[in-house]
Amino acid sequence: MKHARTTLALATLTLLAACATQVQAGVEPAAPGFLFGLWHGFIFPVAWFLSLVMPEVAVYAVPNNGGWYDFGYFVGIMFFGVGAHGGGRKVIYRDRVVREKRDRVIDHE
């Protein structure tokens, strides 16, 4: 029953999100496009910090030209900016011996 309620809630939220539209005053053809979105996504961490201490700094350009700016912003964050650092990379050393409690040795061989 809990699974069905969760699925119904997610379906309802998805349908409501599909009804959302962008205000026409926020979209202008001559406004920042893909390249500015790419740049703004790349500098997002710095812009976010500055926006906390300087009210005239924003992390997102409004108005912009719509979908292309959004796509550039996403690519800037994910591939060039914050998201580009590989997340949880782990280095595995094969020549180490790890000792647990009670002097039990765990070896890789």
Side-chain angles (χ1 to χ4, degrees), residues 77-79 81-90:
I77 287 178
M78 293 307 296
F79 299 114
V82 179
H85 298 296
R89 286 190 204 160
K90 295 180 182 170

Side-chain angles (χ1 to χ4, degrees), residues 28-78:
E28 292 181 9
F34 176 77
L35 292 177
F36 274 112
L38 194 66
W39 174 248
H40 292 161
F42 178 69
I43 64 168
F44 169 76
V46 174
W48 176 75
F49 175 75
L50 290 176
S51 73
L52 295 176
V53 295
M54 301 170 65
E56 64 272 4
V57 174
V59 296
Y60 190 82
V62 175
N64 57 54
N65 73 349
W68 282 111
Y69 177 84
D70 294 341
F71 181 64
Y73 194 78
F74 173 75
V75 169
I77 287 178
M78 293 307 296

